[in-house]
Amino acid sequence: MEMRLYLLQRISAIVMAPLVLGHIAVMIYAVQDGLTAEEILGRTQGSVLWALFYGTFVVAVAIHAAIGLRTILHEWFGVRGVALNGFAGATCFGLLAMGLNAVAAVTVTP
């Protein structure tokens, strides 16, 4: 299982890398253009493309972070077994829930 988690974390990093660069590019564009929050939401709400972009980003980050925190908890504090895996699962679920809620808030048309 440890090897699979190692590979999954590396794959999530590969997925995140271009998404981080894309997100930074979008932020720079928005700031330089002086877009307001209302203008940004006008461009993102109802957009399947933005929902997929940021939804993928959220999934990759949730997986990557949960595995990384699981590793730290095990190496630094010696946590093992059900507690370790439960923590990682809860962390992943929590990050997914919060992140996908944020994506829905900016991409779903009210």
Side-chain angles (χ1 to χ4, degrees):
M1 181 164 129
E2 296 302 317
M3 179 58 76
R4 287 184 181 158
L5 290 174
Y6 175 84
L7 291 173
L8 188 56
Q9 189 177 40
R10 295 323 181 257
I11 291 166
S12 66
I14 291 168
V15 170
M16 280 191 317
L19 297 175
V20 167
L21 295 175
H23 175 68
I24 291 171
V26 168
M27 287 188 334
I28 290 171
Y29 172 77
V31 170
Q32 285 183 341
D33 243 14
L35 295 176
T36 65
E38 185 178 350
E39 290 169 326
I40 292 169
L41 288 175
R43 294 178 184 198
T44 60
Q45 287 184 331
S47 172
V48 174
L49 180 65
W50 285 120
L52 287 173
F53 178 86
Y54 281 110
T56 302
F57 199 174
V58 164
V59 171
V61 168
I63 291 168
H64 189 82
I67 294 170
L69 290 172
R70 179 187 182 276
T71 300
I72 291 169
L73 200 59
H74 175 68
E75 290 178 359
W76 289 12
F77 302 105
V79 179
R80 298 175 187 267
V82 175
L84 183 63
N85 293 328
F87 171 81
T91 300
C92 187
F93 178 77
L95 291 172
L96 277 172
M98 289 185 291
L100 293 176
N101 186 48
V103 170
V106 297
T107 59
V108 175
T109 306

